[in-house]
Amino acid sequence: MRIARALLWLMLSVIPLTATAAGVQVEGVRMWPAPDHTRLVLDLSQPVDHRLFSLENPDRVVIDLKDSRFPGSLPTMSYDGALIENIRYAHREDNQLRFVLDLKSEVRPKSFVLKPQREYGHRLVIDLHQPQSEQAAPKVTKSVNDGKPRDLIIAIDAGHGGEDPGALGRLGTREKDVVMAVARKLEAMLKREPGFKPFMIRTGDYYLSLRERVEKARRAQADLFISIHADAFHDRRAHGSSVYVVSDGGASSKAARFLAESENSADLIGGVSLEDKEDLLKMVLVDMVQNSTIEDSHRVASEVLGSLKHVNHLHKRHVEQAGFRVLKAPDVPSILVETAFISNPAEERKLRSSAHQTELAKSMFYGVKRYFARHAPAGTLLATRKARRHEISRGDTLTGIAARYRVSVSAIKQHNNLSDNLLRVGQVIQIPVI
């Protein structure tokens, strides 16, 4: 009997060792292709020790995971636009799990682990970047060609993306999808407007760090940076649109501080390696923001806020300030537009509407137009076509003024942010250039 008990105890003591010999479970595999890199994410049951190395002829990247298993199967993936041609995996001796990435060309691989954040657990992130020489240079530049007037470059940043869905509504609406839809509509409007050239910071469903977004706008030599969001608040009654600029001090309200902290945490969710984090913190902590840039940001933010009030209730009737990292470009006027609270059931339904998305984009478009009509930089096409000024005299009507200058009444109202047809003697309005 004693021998039997001893054997039973020995068997029970061995079972946990066998069960934990491959203690890390790979619970999922996701891929996010971007124009200049591809990101592969492994969802893990717990942290993992891993080794990353490259092989040539043909080009491959190998990831070895220690004490790991992949009980599932690889999802069906489209490799269009990705640097990866195929993904393979195999369980090896000593409970090793190996993933092999067959590549379309040579890459610079980098890996890092992420701790649990919100809906995500432990993750292993593998970023594959093209060699520097193969990366395409920005197609947009504001250098003057042959002395001809240039277009204004408007950088449009659709917040979040890829691993980071942003805020989630009760109906399952993802912030990253809504803001991309609004950004695309704004891009289309600017493309049709003479004197403007839009530059999309994010062109698909992938994540860019806050630092990368700022750097892309600066490399494109943007005249304005607009970051579009639709955030959430713990109180579902919170509603309305807001426009923010960066603060060189504290936040202008508790809500502004909460939203800034929420947006700034995106790098923890979307995934930024510790190496990048050190440089990012240096950029944030060093006060590089010029006073003139902040003033310009305030002016354009006021114009956009003035347009938004015709589309949605305003959460605050003045431009708010907070320490948004994505607005930290020292030489590019930058604003962040919170189109609505996706956590509010009524506003979530509106954000899902294509017609409402168009109205939101249109309000930003007209706000930007009004700002640059008054503050067009020298050397731009708009600077050569500045709007004319008209002082209201007794008997003037919008219909008569529109006929005189051969523009539409709606164009005058939108350009001057007029909500009705009432005019007062001595009032000065600007006549838009069509």
Side-chain angles (χ1 to χ4, degrees):
M1 180 63 73
R2 289 182 178 178
I3 295 175
R5 288 178 179 175
L7 288 173
L8 180 61
W9 178 86
L10 182 60
M11 291 173 63
L12 291 173
S13 65
V14 170
I15 289 173
L17 293 175
T18 304
T20 59
V24 180
Q25 300 286 323
V26 176
E27 299 173 338
V29 180
R30 298 189 303 282
M31 183 179 67
W32 305 99
D36 61 348
H37 73 278
T38 295
R39 169 166 287 189
L40 186 73
V41 180
L42 305 181
D43 291 309
L44 308 171
S45 61
Q46 61 191 63
V48 68
D49 290 331
H50 73 284
R51 185 168 69 103
L52 178 79
F53 59 94
S54 299
L55 296 173
E56 298 178 346
N57 299 318
D59 292 315
R60 288 156 288 162
V61 167
V62 179
I63 309 106
D64 282 339
L65 282 65
K66 185 178 179 181
D67 296 334
S68 300
R69 299 287 295 173
F70 183 28
S73 58
L74 289 171
T76 302
M77 297 183 186
S78 171
Y79 296 99
D80 294 341
L83 299 174
I84 299 173
E85 191 169 51
N86 188 40
I87 301 175
R88 299 176 281 128
Y89 75 95
H91 294 100
R92 296 164 59 83
E93 296 179 358
D94 301 326
N95 292 313
Q96 298 283 333
L97 175 61
R98 170 169 288 187
F99 282 88
V100 179
L101 313 181
D102 297 316
L103 305 172
K104 296 177 181 178
S105 61
E106 181 185 357
V107 300
R108 292 185 294 107
K110 181 175 66 173
S111 65
F112 54 95
V113 294
L114 293 172
K115 295 180 180 179
Q117 292 288 336
R118 293 190 190 174
E119 68 270 26
Y120 292 114
H122 294 278
R123 288 170 288 169
L124 173 61
V125 178
I126 299 96
D127 280 340
L128 307 176
H129 288 267
Q130 293 178 335
Q132 202 66 32
S133 58
E134 296 182 21
Q135 291 188 24
K139 295 181 180 180
V140 181
T141 176
K142 66 178 182 182
S143 56
V144 179
N145 296 321
D146 303 325
K148 295 180 181 178
R150 66 174 180 84
D151 291 334
L152 288 157
I153 298 170
I154 311 300
I156 307 171
D157 172 40
H160 308 279
E163 277 291 280
D164 178 18
L168 301 174
R170 298 185 72 176
L171 298 176
T173 312
R174 300 183 300 185
E175 180 184 359
K176 69 174 183 178
D177 299 330
V178 169
V179 298
M180 177 56 85
V182 175
R184 286 294 191 194
K185 292 175 185 294
L186 177 58
E187 177 193 26
M189 294 173 190
L190 288 168
K191 277 184 177 178
R192 292 192 296 266
E193 185 69 17
F196 287 91
K197 183 174 289 187
F199 176 75
M200 293 291 286
I201 298 295
R202 176 168 71 86
T203 58
D205 187 15
Y206 52 87
Y207 186 75
L208 291 172
S209 72
L210 302 178
R211 184 184 70 176
E212 288 174 309
R213 294 168 195 258
V214 174
E215 288 179 348
K216 283 175 73 78
R218 295 188 70 195
R219 284 198 301 270
Q221 301 181 59
D223 295 281
L224 176 65
F225 177 89
I226 304 177
S227 191
I228 305 174
H229 293 260
D231 222 309
F233 200 57
H234 51 73
D235 186 347
R236 293 189 183 276
R237 293 173 299 177
H239 65 290
S241 303
S242 304
V243 183
Y244 294 83
V245 297
V246 73
S247 169
D248 53 358
S252 57
S253 69
K254 288 183 179 179
R257 187 182 303 108
F258 174 86
L259 291 175
E261 290 172 353
S262 175
E263 298 299 348
N264 291 344
S265 70
D267 276 346
L268 301 176
I269 302 161
V272 173
S273 71
L274 292 176
E275 295 173 8
D276 294 337
K277 207 68 179 178
E278 184 178 352
D279 292 337
L280 178 62
L281 289 173
K282 288 178 183 176
M283 185 194 77
V284 174
L285 293 173
V286 175
D287 183 13
M288 297 173 60
V289 185
Q290 301 171 354
N291 288 335
S292 59
T293 302
I294 296 178
E295 291 172 5
D296 289 337
S297 299
H298 264 284
R299 291 191 186 106
V300 68
S302 296
E303 295 289 358
V304 171
L305 189 68
S307 290
L308 279 170
K309 71 181 181 182
H310 301 300
V311 177
N312 197 26
H313 170 81
L314 296 182
H315 184 65
K316 295 284 186 181
R317 294 187 175 275
H318 58 268
V319 174
E320 293 221 73
Q321 292 180 272
F324 291 95
R325 290 176 184 163
V326 78
L327 303 182
K328 288 282 187 175
D331 48 2
V332 181
S334 305
I335 66 171
L336 186 145
V337 179
E338 292 288 358
T339 54
F341 282 89
I342 204 169
S343 52
N344 181 285
E347 291 201 337
E348 180 188 7
R349 287 192 293 272
K350 290 170 67 176
L351 286 172
R352 294 165 66 96
S353 161
S354 178
H356 186 68
Q357 293 167 2
T358 299
E359 291 304 309
L360 289 169
K362 197 180 295 183
S363 66
M364 297 179 217
F365 171 68
Y366 286 127
V368 169
K369 275 187 65 177
R370 281 197 304 275
Y371 167 75
F372 281 112
R374 298 174 174 87
H375 306 283
T380 60
L381 183 62
L382 258 65
T384 65
R385 303 170 59 199
K386 280 194 173 181
R388 291 159 290 181
R389 294 162 61 87
H390 179 91
E391 184 173 344
I392 304 301
S393 301
R394 188 175 300 277
D396 274 347
T397 64
L398 280 179
T399 303
I401 295 169
R404 175 179 171 182
Y405 291 100
R406 297 183 180 180
V407 297
S408 67
V409 171
S410 61
I412 294 176
K413 291 176 68 174
Q414 290 163 352
H415 191 77
N416 292 274
N417 201 24
L418 301 175
S419 57
D420 51 43
N421 292 346
L422 296 178
L423 300 172
R424 67 177 186 277
V425 175
Q427 179 183 358
V428 177
I429 62 173
Q430 292 195 332
I431 309 301
V433 178
I434 304 299

